[in-house]
């Protein structure tokens, strides 16, 4: 975790009475590790699932549960605590948000410390609802979530999977990393501005087989592409991720198409492109492949003097006839003459936007969690993206994708 990701940010974490409340302890830990100051407010039922001491220890702050002080003779100095704390925060998160609390928030209740803070705050609100599958899908729960969203709050939907009841379905608290990425989106004042858009992202390397056990590949980890796919999803897009071999973990909501070689990636893109409006080509596609793939493992004593190579298709170029009216962004990975090469690729590949990154700069390009980019638009305008987490750089790319007019 980057200790400066949420540096100086003041976050109220509301925890409600769900079994997923135990995972909120990990969320506090990660927010604090990322530099945020966290104040936890629990509903009385949340305190039946997890001891408040867990949260006060992890946040290094008192935990608030009661709206009124326990002893009326000592309470007068605290009578506007809810206003003070609400105004202090840069963000309020409710994770997990139970069906009961979701209903209360939707209807403006202020009957406990948590719901009172929601009504008093001026900062953005992020809700992470969780419940057993039928409670989650209950028509009024869904209506309540829509109502909360219509007030400008960010809803991070539950994930599907096995639930505490043993039932399977939607209702699980998302992975902590996904919640943190959503926090980053909300803190940067971005919203679900990709709602209604269908985005394809390509990621990772391609492997061009020499024989059944060897291949020609490159050092792409998939981190950049997966970060773009995640950011687009959290900003409301429907995401198809076409991924070469990578150990990155996709979101379960992605339509994930795994490919091995450049020709498989090209075939997948040909199938998918007409149904999407945006393509972000961050994969490191091999330009060459062995002319023949040996049927069996080449023996050491065969001592092949050379491997004959043949050119792969330039995938983005080959799609030009199919991409009219769509936004197409590509990358340029360079070691020299960076801007000139990127401009050339922008034009020759018919791109609307190109993200230039360096294969030699420390912290940029392959494998790192960070990247430094220059975004070049079709009209020649440039945006410098200083070294930052790939997820944050992905968001700047997406901001610039939104600026492309078609
Ligand atoms: O995966 P990571 O470890 O996080 O690393 C990220 C990255 C360095 C791979 C990524 O940021 C990046 O630069 N991706 C593009 C790498 C690349 O292939 O660059 P290029 O300059 O060779 O290609 C230019 C563009 O044409 C790219 O959008 C590429 O996807 C596309 N291309 C390239 C070759 C080919 N045969 N067909 C293509 O469509």
């Amino acid at each position: 975790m980057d200790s400066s990701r949420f540096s100086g940010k003041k976050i109220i974490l509301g925890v409600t009475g769900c079994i997923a409340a135990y995972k909120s302890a990990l969320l506090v830990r990660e927010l604090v590790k990322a530099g945020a100051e966290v104040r936890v407010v629990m509903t009385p039922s949340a305190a039946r699932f997890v001891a408040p001491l867990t949260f006060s220890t992890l946040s290094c702050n008192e935990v608030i549960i009661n709206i009124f002080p326990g002893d009326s003779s000592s309470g007068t100095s605290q009578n506007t605590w809810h206003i003070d704390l609400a105004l202090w925060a840069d963000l309020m998160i409710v994770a997990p948000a139970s069906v009961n609390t979701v209903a209360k928030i939707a209807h403006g209740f202020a009957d406990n410390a948590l719901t009172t803070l929601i009504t008093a705050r001026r900062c953005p609100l992020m809700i992470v609802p969780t419940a057993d599958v039928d409670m989650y899908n209950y028509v009024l729960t869904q209506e309540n979530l829509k109502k909360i969203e219509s007030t400008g709050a960010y809803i991070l939907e539950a994930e599907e999977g096995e639930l505490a009841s043993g039932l399977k379905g939607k209702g699980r608290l998302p992975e902590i990393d996904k919640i943190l990425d959503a926090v980053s989106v909300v803190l940067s004042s971005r919203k679900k501005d990709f709602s209604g858009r269908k985005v394809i992202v390509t990621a990772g390397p391609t492997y061009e087989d020499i024989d059944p056990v060897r291949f020609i590949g490159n050092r792409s980890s998939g981190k950049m592409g997966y970060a773009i796919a995640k950011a687009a999803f959290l900003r409301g897009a429907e995401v198809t991720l076409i991924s070469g071999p990578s150990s990155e973990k996709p979101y379960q909501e992605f339509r994930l198409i795994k490919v091995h070689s450049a020709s498989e990636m090209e075939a997948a893109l040909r199938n998918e492109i007409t149904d999407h409006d945006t393509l972000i080509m961050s994969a490191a596609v091999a330009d060459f492949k062995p002319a023949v793939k040996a049927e069996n493992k080449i023996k050491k004593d065969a001592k092949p003097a050379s491997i004959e190579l043949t050119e792969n298709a330039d995938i983005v170029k080959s799609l030009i006839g199919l991409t009219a009216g769509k936004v197409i962004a590509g990358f340029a990975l360079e070691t020299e003459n960076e801007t000139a090469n990127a401009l050339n690729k922008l034009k020759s590949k018919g791109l609307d936007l190109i993200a230039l990154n360096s294969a030699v700069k420390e912290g940029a390009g392959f494998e790192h969690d960070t990247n430094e980019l220059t975004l070049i638009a079709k009209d020649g305008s440039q945006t410098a993206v200083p070294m930052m987490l790939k997820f944050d750089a992905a968001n700047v790319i997406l901001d610039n994708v939104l600026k492309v007019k078609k």
Side-chain angles (χ1 to χ4, degrees):
M1 172 56 58
D2 178 349
S3 63
S4 63
R5 189 176 195 190
F6 302 135
S7 171
K9 295 296 178 192
K10 302 186 187 91
I11 297 176
I12 301 173
L13 175 64
V15 182
T16 71
C18 302
I19 181 57
Y22 79 92
K23 294 184 185 168
S24 305
L26 298 173
L27 179 57
V28 174
R29 178 100 183 98
E30 292 304 320
L31 289 169
V32 170
K33 268 164 69 183
E37 189 177 345
V38 181
R39 299 293 311 265
V40 176
V41 52
M42 301 174 81
T43 61
S45 4
R48 300 181 75 145
F49 283 91
V50 184
L53 187 59
T54 304
F55 289 109
S56 58
T57 307
L58 292 171
S59 67
C60 305
N61 273 313
E62 288 287 324
V63 167
I64 297 166
I65 300 175
N66 297 314
I67 193 162
F68 299 112
D71 170 359
S72 59
S73 66
S74 64
T76 48
S77 63
Q78 295 185 40
N79 64 352
T80 62
W81 69 268
H82 56 301
I83 306 296
D84 301 338
L85 185 58
L87 296 182
W88 165 88
D90 297 309
L91 171 67
M92 180 162 179
I93 310 168
V94 186
S98 67
V99 161
N100 183 41
T101 294
V102 163
K104 288 182 187 178
I105 298 169
H107 292 86
F109 278 63
D111 65 341
N112 61 32
L114 189 153
T115 50
T116 301
L117 274 173
I118 286 183
T119 61
R121 94 214 126 80
R122 292 184 184 171
C123 65
L125 174 64
M126 181 174 141
I127 303 284
V128 192
T130 70
D132 212 81
V133 54
D134 298 303
M135 294 173 76
Y136 190 87
N137 290 333
Y138 179 49
V139 61
L140 293 181
T141 304
Q142 290 304 314
E143 271 179 25
N144 287 335
L145 286 170
K146 283 202 184 77
K147 199 164 178 186
I148 297 172
E149 193 166 36
S150 73
T151 67
Y154 183 97
I155 310 287
L156 179 63
E157 284 195 37
E159 292 191 346
E160 287 193 19
E162 196 172 43
L163 303 163
S165 62
L167 293 176
K168 287 202 172 93
K170 204 164 179 179
R172 283 170 66 90
L173 191 81
E175 297 292 326
I176 300 297
D177 281 347
K178 190 181 191 180
I179 299 177
L180 295 173
D181 284 345
V183 166
S184 172
V185 166
V186 181
L187 276 174
S188 64
S189 303
R190 293 178 174 102
K191 298 239 156 179
K192 294 199 176 162
D193 45 7
F194 272 74
S195 289
R197 287 187 78 145
K198 296 180 87 176
V199 177
I200 303 181
V201 181
T202 67
T206 64
Y207 285 178
E208 312 300 326
D209 290 348
I210 299 169
D211 68 13
V213 299
R214 304 178 180 94
F215 59 85
I216 297 173
N218 60 64
R219 287 170 35 219
S220 171
S221 61
K223 285 182 181 177
M224 188 69 242
Y226 278 64
I228 297 168
K230 288 175 178 180
F233 172 80
L234 292 172
R235 290 170 70 168
E238 242 179 81
V239 174
T240 298
L241 175 62
I242 302 179
S243 174
S246 167
S247 54
E248 289 297 297
K249 218 172 151 216
Y251 288 166
Q252 60 172 220
E253 293 91 345
F254 294 165
R255 187 170 136 69
L256 177 66
I257 303 174
K258 288 188 177 170
V259 296
H260 185 79
S261 62
S263 52
E264 282 179 24
M265 186 170 280
E266 184 186 3
L269 273 163
R270 280 190 179 279
N271 270 339
E272 296 297 325
I273 191 73
T274 43
D275 191 35
H276 292 77
D277 52 65
T278 305
L279 166 62
I280 306 179
M281 193 75 196
S282 86
V285 183
D287 289 316
F288 299 97
K289 64 180 175 188
V292 212
K293 175 184 171 186
E295 203 179 318
N296 293 307
K297 184 181 172 192
I298 299 169
K299 297 287 175 223
K300 195 175 166 189
D301 52 13
K303 292 195 180 74
S306 60
I307 298 168
E308 196 191 331
L309 297 178
T310 171
E311 217 172 320
N312 274 325
D314 186 308
I315 301 180
V316 218
K317 233 185 223 179
S318 77
L319 295 174
I320 285 178
L322 300 172
T323 52
K326 301 177 192 297
V327 179
I328 314 294
F331 274 74
L333 181 65
E334 304 295 339
T335 54
E336 57 182 348
N337 300 325
E338 301 193 342
T339 309
N341 288 339
L343 276 167
N344 185 28
K345 286 177 183 171
L346 178 80
K347 283 203 186 99
S348 66
K349 291 172 189 266
L351 303 172
D352 296 299
L353 181 72
I354 196 157
L356 163 63
N357 54 185
S358 166
V360 288
K361 179 154 194 171
E362 190 48 44
F366 286 134
E367 295 170 316
H368 300 286
D369 290 331
T370 50
N371 209 353
E372 183 181 283
L373 301 167
T374 304
L375 306 182
I376 310 176
K378 224 174 176 176
D379 63 5
S381 60
Q382 298 190 9
T383 308
V385 185
M387 194 72 74
M388 59 177 73
L389 284 178
K390 279 183 173 162
F391 183 79
D392 295 335
N395 273 306
V396 183
I397 295 172
L398 293 175
D399 294 343
N400 281 269
V401 162
L402 282 179
K403 288 183 195 157
V404 176
K405 296 276 169 277
K406 284 283 167 171

